[in-house]
Amino acid sequence: MKVETLSEKDINAIGHAFGYYEYAQGEKGLVSAYSSKDAVVSYINGYVEMVLQAGMLYTTGPQQEAFIAYKRCDEKVGLKAGQKLIKGMFAGSSFGEVVWMLSILGSGGSSSIEKKLKKKKQKYLFVGLVCVREEYQGQGYMRKALELAFAEGNRLGLPVVLDTDAKLKSDKYRHLGMELAGVRTCKNGSKLYELIKYPDSTV
């Protein structure tokens, strides 16, 4: 179901789940590109506000146990929605810190799977966020959230793509039906794992 409104408390809960995620030992994650965990929370809060404004945020049910944001690759995010993300970026970081963070995010190169699909002129569904609220984690809600995007991909006949910055998350996505399409390394040593799920009709 599409999310129409979220309280500030609920938005913060999503941001906190990302900012305070426990990475495996020896794994950096993109959190290392930010000045602090709270800066990650601010950024994710802005992202959530953006996709909410753009009508691209969905949840698993009335209790909003988990959230997923997705859009077709050719869908545009409006200026008003985009301003929410910019506000979130600068809410927890200075201008210099934002520039540094963006340089790290861009240093892994462009997505190889997205480039491959674009070269083939193949449209796809892009997942920008998957989050299970902390009190519901370990109860199967990640699967339920992903199934919303998979169902839309099947309806449109489009592959679903996403990337994540943790091997454990990547392994979970693979367990839930996605394929690892590539791994990119950013200049700070963090990695981005690219995953794809083709529509069932083409398997």
Side-chain angles (χ1 to χ4, degrees), residues 69-112:
Y70 58 82
K71 71 179 190 71
R72 294 191 321 273
C73 61
D74 57 346
E75 282 186 284
K76 302 297 183 183
V77 174
L79 178 61
K80 189 174 181 180
Q83 289 173 340
K84 302 285 187 180
L85 178 60
I86 295 171
K87 181 181 176 181
M89 280 185 184
F90 288 98
S93 303
S94 67
F95 178 79
E97 288 167 343
V98 169
V99 171
W100 169 245
M101 178 266 290
L102 291 175
S103 74
I104 290 176
L105 295 182
S107 65
S110 56
S111 167
S112 58

Side-chain angles (χ1 to χ4, degrees), residues 30-148:
L30 286 178
V31 67
S32 61
Y34 297 80
S35 57
S36 67
K37 290 185 176 182
D38 286 339
V40 179
V41 174
S42 295
Y43 174 81
I44 296 298
N45 286 356
Y47 188 90
V48 172
E49 290 186 29
M50 177 184 74
V51 292
L52 178 63
Q53 173 82 40
M56 297 171 178
L57 184 65
Y58 302 84
T59 187
T60 48
Q63 299 302 313
Q64 298 184 335
E65 306 91 349
F67 298 90
I68 187 166
Y70 58 82
K71 71 179 190 71
R72 294 191 321 273
C73 61
D74 57 346
E75 282 186 284
K76 302 297 183 183
V77 174
L79 178 61
K80 189 174 181 180
Q83 289 173 340
K84 302 285 187 180
L85 178 60
I86 295 171
K87 181 181 176 181
M89 280 185 184
F90 288 98
S93 303
S94 67
F95 178 79
E97 288 167 343
V98 169
V99 171
W100 169 245
M101 178 266 290
L102 291 175
S103 74
I104 290 176
L105 295 182
S107 65
S110 56
S111 167
S112 58
I113 186 62
E114 290 185 70
K115 281 175 64 178
K116 182 179 178 181
L117 293 172
K118 287 175 181 176
K119 187 174 181 180
K120 294 166 59 178
K121 298 184 178 180
Q122 166 70 67
K123 292 183 179 179
Y124 56 90
L125 206 67
F126 174 75
V127 174
L129 174 145
V130 181
C131 178
V132 180
R133 291 171 63 161
E134 289 168 298
E135 63 266 37
Y136 293 106
Q137 291 177 6
Q139 300 175 44
Y141 286 106
M142 178 183 276
R143 178 186 294 275
K144 292 181 179 180
L146 282 173
E147 284 174 349
L148 296 174

Side-chain angles (χ1 to χ4, degrees), residues 156-177:
L156 297 172
L158 301 179
V160 176
V161 302
L162 63 79
D163 56 45
T164 184
D165 66 341
K167 186 178 184 302
L168 179 60
K169 293 180 187 177
S170 171
D171 291 344
K172 287 180 179 178
Y173 291 137
R174 291 172 68 188
H175 177 71
L176 297 175

